[in-house]
Coordinates of all heavy atoms in Angstrom, one line a residue:
V56 N 170.4 107.7 136.7 CA 170.3 108.8 135.8 C 169.9 108.3 134.4 O 169.1 108.9 133.6 CB 171.5 109.7 135.7 CG1 171.3 110.9 134.8 CG2 171.9 110.2 137.1
A57 N 170.5 107.1 134.0 CA 170.3 106.5 132.7 C 168.8 106.3 132.5 O 168.3 106.3 131.4 CB 171.1 105.2 132.6
D58 N 168.0 106.0 133.6 CA 166.6 105.7 133.5 C 165.7 106.9 133.8 O 164.5 106.7 133.7 CB 166.3 104.5 134.5 CG 166.8 103.2 134.0 OD1 166.9 103.0 132.8 OD2 167.1 102.4 134.9
M59 N 166.3 108.0 134.1 CA 165.4 109.2 134.4 C 165.0 109.9 133.1 O 165.8 110.2 132.3 CB 166.1 110.2 135.3 CG 166.3 109.7 136.8 SD 167.5 110.6 137.7 CE 166.7 112.2 137.9
K60 N 163.6 110.2 133.1 CA 163.1 110.9 131.9 C 163.6 112.3 131.9 O 164.2 112.8 130.9 CB 161.6 110.8 131.9 CG 161.0 110.9 130.5 CD 159.6 110.5 130.5 CE 158.7 111.6 131.0 NZ 157.4 111.4 131.3
N61 N 163.4 113.0 133.1 CA 164.0 114.3 133.2 C 165.4 114.2 133.9 O 165.5 113.9 135.1 CB 163.1 115.2 134.1 CG 161.7 115.4 133.5 OD1 161.6 115.4 132.3 ND2 160.7 115.6 134.4
K62 N 166.4 114.4 133.1 CA 167.8 114.3 133.6 C 168.0 115.4 134.6 O 167.5 116.6 134.4 CB 168.8 114.3 132.5 CG 168.6 113.3 131.4 CD 168.9 111.9 131.8 CE 168.7 110.9 130.7 NZ 168.4 109.5 131.2
P63 N 168.9 115.2 135.6 CA 169.3 116.4 136.4 C 169.9 117.5 135.6 O 170.6 117.2 134.6 CB 170.3 115.8 137.4 CG 170.1 114.3 137.3 CD 169.6 114.0 135.9
L64 N 169.8 118.7 136.0 CA 170.4 119.8 135.3 C 171.9 119.7 135.6 O 172.4 119.1 136.6 CB 169.9 121.2 135.9 CG 168.4 121.4 135.7 CD1 168.0 122.7 136.4 CD2 168.1 121.5 134.2
P65 N 172.8 120.2 134.7 CA 174.2 120.0 134.8 C 174.8 120.9 135.9 O 174.3 122.0 136.3 CB 174.8 120.5 133.5 CG 173.8 121.5 133.0 CD 172.4 121.0 133.5
P66 N 176.0 120.5 136.5 CA 176.7 121.5 137.4 C 177.3 122.6 136.5 O 177.6 122.4 135.4 CB 177.9 120.6 137.9 CG 178.0 119.4 137.0 CD 176.7 119.3 136.3
L67 N 177.4 123.8 137.1 CA 177.8 124.9 136.3 C 179.1 125.5 136.9 O 179.3 125.5 138.1 CB 176.7 126.1 136.3 CG 175.4 125.7 135.8 CD1 174.5 126.9 135.8 CD2 175.5 125.2 134.3
N68 N 179.9 126.1 135.9 CA 181.0 126.9 136.3 C 180.5 128.2 136.9 O 179.8 128.9 136.2 CB 181.9 127.2 135.1 CG 183.1 128.1 135.4 OD1 183.0 129.0 136.2 ND2 184.2 127.7 134.8
P69 N 180.8 128.6 138.2 CA 180.2 129.8 138.8 C 180.5 131.1 138.0 O 179.7 132.0 138.0 CB 180.8 129.8 140.2 CG 181.4 128.5 140.4 CD 181.7 127.9 139.1
A70 N 181.7 131.1 137.4 CA 182.1 132.4 136.7 C 181.4 132.5 135.3 O 180.8 133.5 135.0 CB 183.6 132.4 136.5
T71 N 181.3 131.4 134.5 CA 180.8 131.5 133.2 C 179.4 131.0 133.1 O 178.7 131.3 132.1 CB 181.6 130.6 132.2 OG1 181.5 129.3 132.7 CG2 183.1 131.0 132.2
K72 N 178.9 130.3 134.1 CA 177.6 129.7 134.2 C 177.4 128.6 133.0 O 176.3 128.3 132.6 CB 176.4 130.7 134.0 CG 176.5 131.8 135.0 CD 176.0 131.4 136.4 CE 176.1 132.4 137.5 NZ 176.9 133.5 137.6
K73 N 178.6 128.1 132.5 CA 178.6 127.1 131.5 C 178.6 125.7 132.2 O 179.3 125.6 133.2 CB 179.8 127.2 130.6 CG 179.8 128.5 129.7 CD 179.8 128.1 128.3 CE 179.4 129.2 127.3 NZ 180.4 130.3 127.4
P74 N 178.0 124.7 131.6 CA 178.1 123.3 132.2 C 179.5 122.8 132.3 O 180.3 123.1 131.4 CB 177.3 122.5 131.2 CG 176.3 123.4 130.5 CD 177.1 124.7 130.4
L75 N 179.8 122.1 133.3 CA 181.2 121.7 133.5 C 181.4 120.4 132.8 O 180.5 119.6 132.6 CB 181.4 121.4 135.0 CG 181.5 122.7 135.9 CD1 181.5 122.4 137.3 CD2 182.7 123.5 135.5
T76 N 182.6 120.1 132.3 CA 183.0 118.9 131.6 C 183.8 118.0 132.6 O 184.2 118.4 133.7 CB 183.9 119.3 130.4 OG1 185.1 119.9 131.0 CG2 183.2 120.2 129.5
V77 N 184.0 116.8 132.1 CA 184.8 115.9 132.9 C 186.2 116.5 133.2 O 186.7 116.4 134.3 CB 185.0 114.5 132.1 CG1 186.1 113.6 132.8 CG2 183.7 113.8 132.0
D78 N 186.8 117.2 132.2 CA 188.1 117.8 132.4 C 188.0 118.9 133.5 O 188.9 118.9 134.3 CB 188.5 118.5 131.1 CG 189.2 117.5 130.1 OD1 189.4 116.4 130.6 OD2 189.5 117.9 129.0
D79 N 186.9 119.7 133.5 CA 186.8 120.7 134.5 C 186.8 120.0 135.9 O 187.5 120.4 136.8 CB 185.5 121.5 134.4 CG 185.4 122.3 133.1 OD1 186.5 122.7 132.6 OD2 184.3 122.4 132.5
L80 N 185.9 119.0 136.0 CA 185.8 118.3 137.3 C 187.0 117.6 137.8 O 187.3 117.4 139.0 CB 184.6 117.3 137.3 CG 183.2 118.0 137.2 CD1 182.1 116.9 137.1 CD2 182.9 118.8 138.5
S81 N 187.8 117.2 136.8 CA 189.0 116.4 137.1 C 190.1 117.3 137.8 O 191.1 116.7 138.3 CB 189.6 115.8 135.8 OG 188.7 115.0 135.2
A82 N 189.9 118.6 137.8 CA 190.9 119.4 138.6 C 190.8 119.1 140.1 O 191.7 119.1 140.8 CB 190.6 120.9 138.4
L83 N 189.6 118.7 140.5 CA 189.3 118.5 141.9 C 189.2 117.0 142.3 O 189.6 116.6 143.4 CB 188.0 119.2 142.3 CG 187.7 119.6 143.7 CD1 188.8 120.4 144.3 CD2 186.4 120.4 143.8
F84 N 188.6 116.3 141.4 CA 188.3 114.8 141.6 C 189.1 114.0 140.7 O 189.7 114.5 139.7 CB 186.8 114.5 141.4 CG 185.9 115.4 142.2 CD1 185.2 116.4 141.6 CD2 185.7 115.2 143.5 CE1 184.3 117.2 142.3 CE2 184.8 116.0 144.3 CZ 184.1 117.0 143.7
T85 N 189.2 112.7 141.0 CA 189.8 111.8 140.0 C 189.0 111.8 138.7 O 187.8 112.1 138.7 CB 189.9 110.3 140.5 OG1 188.6 109.9 140.8 CG2 190.8 110.2 141.8
T86 N 189.7 111.4 137.6 CA 189.0 111.4 136.3 C 187.9 110.4 136.4 O 186.8 110.7 135.8 CB 190.0 111.0 135.2 OG1 191.2 111.9 135.4 CG2 189.5 111.2 133.9
E87 N 188.1 109.3 137.0 CA 187.0 108.3 137.0 C 185.8 108.8 137.8 O 184.6 108.6 137.3 CB 187.5 107.0 137.7 CG 186.6 105.8 137.5 CD 186.1 105.5 136.1 OE1 186.9 105.6 135.2 OE2 184.9 105.1 136.0
A88 N 186.0 109.5 138.9 CA 184.9 110.0 139.7 C 184.2 111.1 138.8 O 183.0 111.2 138.8 CB 185.4 110.6 141.0
A89 N 185.0 111.9 138.1 CA 184.4 113.0 137.3 C 183.6 112.4 136.2 O 182.5 112.9 135.9 CB 185.5 113.8 136.7
K90 N 184.0 111.3 135.6 CA 183.3 110.6 134.5 C 182.0 110.1 135.1 O 180.9 110.2 134.5 CB 184.1 109.4 133.9 CG 185.1 109.8 132.9 CD 185.7 108.6 132.3 CE 186.9 108.9 131.5 NZ 187.8 107.7 131.4
Q91 N 182.0 109.4 136.2 CA 180.8 108.9 136.9 C 179.8 110.0 137.2 O 178.6 109.8 137.1 CB 181.2 108.1 138.1 CG 182.0 106.8 137.8 CD 182.4 106.1 139.1 OE1 182.2 106.5 140.2 NE2 183.0 104.9 138.9
E92 N 180.4 111.1 137.6 CA 179.6 112.3 138.0 C 178.7 112.7 136.9 O 177.5 113.1 137.1 CB 180.5 113.4 138.5 CG 179.8 114.6 139.2 CD 179.1 114.1 140.5 OE1 179.5 113.1 141.1 OE2 178.1 114.8 140.8
L93 N 179.2 112.7 135.7 CA 178.4 113.2 134.5 C 177.8 112.1 133.6 O 177.3 112.4 132.6 CB 179.4 114.1 133.7 CG 179.9 115.3 134.4 CD1 180.8 116.2 133.4 CD2 178.8 116.2 135.0
N94 N 177.9 110.9 134.1 CA 177.5 109.8 133.2 C 175.9 109.7 133.3 O 175.3 109.4 134.3 CB 178.0 108.4 133.7 CG 177.7 107.3 132.8 OD1 176.7 107.3 132.2 ND2 178.7 106.3 132.7
A95 N 175.3 110.0 132.1 CA 173.8 110.0 132.1 C 173.3 108.9 131.2 O 172.1 108.8 130.9 CB 173.3 111.3 131.6
T96 N 174.2 108.0 130.8 CA 173.8 107.0 129.8 C 173.9 105.5 130.2 O 173.1 104.7 129.9 CB 174.5 107.2 128.5 OG1 175.9 107.3 128.8 CG2 174.1 108.4 127.7

Side-chain angles (χ1 to χ4, degrees):
V56 184
D58 287 330
M59 286 167 67
K60 206 163 81 193
N61 295 335
K62 306 287 182 207
L64 298 172
L67 300 180
N68 177 320
T71 62
K72 306 283 178 337
K73 293 242 166 64
L75 290 172
T76 62
V77 168
D78 277 355
D79 297 328
L80 288 175
S81 299
L83 201 52
F84 305 105
T85 58
T86 310
E87 189 53 38
K90 280 186 190 158
Q91 292 177 357
E92 193 60 26
L93 298 182
N94 189 327
T96 49

